[in-house]
Amino acid sequence: MTPPDASHNRWSDLDRPPLNATALRRGLLRPDTLWASLELVESTGSTNTDLAERARAGAAAEGTVLVAEEQTAGRGRLERSWTAPPRSGLFFSVYLEPGDIPVERWGWVPLLAGVAAATGLAKSAGVDMSLKWPNDLLVTVEGEERKTGGILGEFAGDGIVVGLGINVSLRADELPAPTAGSLALAGAVSTDRETLLRAVLRSMEHWYGAWRAADGDAAASGLQAAYAAGCATLDRTVRAELPGGASLVGEAVAIDGDGRLIVSTEDGLQQPVSAGDIVHLRGAAGGLT
């Protein structure tokens, strides 16, 4: 009799046990909370794609959470791919319907998720976290800033799907790029993914509730100040690579009320950047990021 292929065994890597969906639901799904349902799948192409399709079909309620042990076609900003070994990280998407909030304020939702993830992981993993505008999660590994997570938001149905990919236990030889990192490599006191996921979702519920209670006003809810306080991009010289191929170099000086990055150029102009890729040029121990 041929033994089963160990690569398909959920327990083949004892350092990376599978998530327990029952325990997660018990800890997160209560009548008085934001989270309405939680589904765990073994593998999928992209949780964002799957959940967005459900939302467009009217098959997702606000507070739906979709978690995958593995993503084979995960997407980051600017259509970049996001891949990692099975059970080495947190790969999940949530569906939110801030329908009573003016739609021009919905752009704050992915930034809100960044604040929630950074604060939740800092508490549960014991690792200093920071944000690279607009939504990269950074940790320090051997004195260098490294990206350990990313966030992607997209409109779908009557709301917005927000996906998060977070490297938890990736080892140095598994990193997809020299600029990548993981919570484990940053010295996390815990890499228990259930603990980390609960912490992030509870933090997201807190910030989403505060933002909605303030009618989507990022300043009144404290979200704008929290994002600025945790943003590693501010007070640095940056290059903003803008849609269409243009670029802008200057000092990142503020996050405005619309969630845009304000860049002060050498000629004294302050330019708002609403979309683009940011390169940190100076001001960090790790140099270019």
Side-chain angles (χ1 to χ4, degrees):
M1 181 176 178
T2 302
D5 184 350
S7 65
H8 296 294
N9 187 333
R10 297 174 70 237
W11 292 96
S12 59
D13 188 339
L14 296 180
D15 290 330
R16 293 170 175 165
L19 292 168
N20 185 324
T22 300
L24 286 169
R25 293 188 189 106
R26 186 167 55 243
L28 291 166
L29 307 184
R30 298 187 303 275
D32 59 340
T33 64
L34 168 65
W35 308 117
S37 66
L38 184 146
E39 180 182 353
L40 174 64
V41 298
E42 193 66 25
S43 180
T44 190
S46 163
T47 57
N48 250 39
T49 297
D50 294 349
L51 194 50
E53 288 177 354
R54 295 184 195 180
R56 294 185 185 104
E62 179 171 56
T64 297
V65 182
L66 177 61
V67 187
E69 294 282 31
E70 176 187 27
Q71 282 193 134
T72 59
R75 293 180 293 120
R77 290 184 59 254
L78 307 178
E79 295 303 318
R80 292 177 178 137
S81 62
W82 180 279
T83 59
R87 303 185 304 280
S88 65
L90 293 174
F91 320 112
F92 66 100
S93 297
V94 303
Y95 178 63
L96 303 172
E97 288 185 342
D100 54 340
I101 304 299
V103 70
E104 60 268 20
R105 295 179 172 178
W106 288 23
W108 270 101
V109 175
L111 279 72
L112 181 156
V115 170
T119 54
L121 292 172
K123 292 178 181 178
S124 57
V127 170
D128 288 337
M129 305 287 301
S130 59
L131 294 160
K132 179 183 175 186
W133 188 92
N135 273 310
D136 285 349
L137 295 164
L138 304 180
V139 293
T140 301
V141 178
E142 297 179 350
E144 294 184 350
E145 276 184 347
R146 302 281 189 89
K147 177 179 176 178
T148 195
I151 298 163
L152 178 67
E154 56 186 299
F155 294 112
D158 295 324
I160 183 170
V161 172
V162 182
L164 294 90
I166 300 164
N167 293 336
V168 175
S169 64
L170 263 73
R171 306 163 187 124
D173 61 352
E174 295 174 321
L175 296 175
T179 55
S182 69
L183 297 179
L185 292 174
V189 298
S190 172
T191 56
D192 180 86
R193 292 184 303 139
E194 289 177 25
T195 298
L196 303 178
L197 181 57
R198 286 196 300 268
V200 171
L201 288 174
R202 286 170 179 161
S203 182
M204 191 178 298
E205 179 180 18
H206 163 76
W207 282 108
Y208 184 66
W211 178 75
R212 287 197 67 161
D215 196 30
D217 187 321
S221 65
L223 178 59
Q224 183 179 0
Y227 191 94
C231 184
T233 303
L234 293 181
D235 301 322
R236 302 171 75 147
T237 300
V238 302
R239 182 174 69 250
E241 298 174 348
L242 307 174
S247 65
L248 178 70
V249 174
E251 182 182 357
V253 295
I255 305 294
D256 74 6
D258 294 320
R260 300 177 300 180
L261 181 69
I262 305 301
V263 177
S264 179
T265 61
E266 287 186 353
D267 56 12
L269 296 178
Q270 293 198 342
Q271 301 280 356
V273 177
S274 58
D277 205 20
I278 298 298
V279 178
H280 292 171
L281 298 178
R282 286 203 307 271
L288 300 183
T289 59

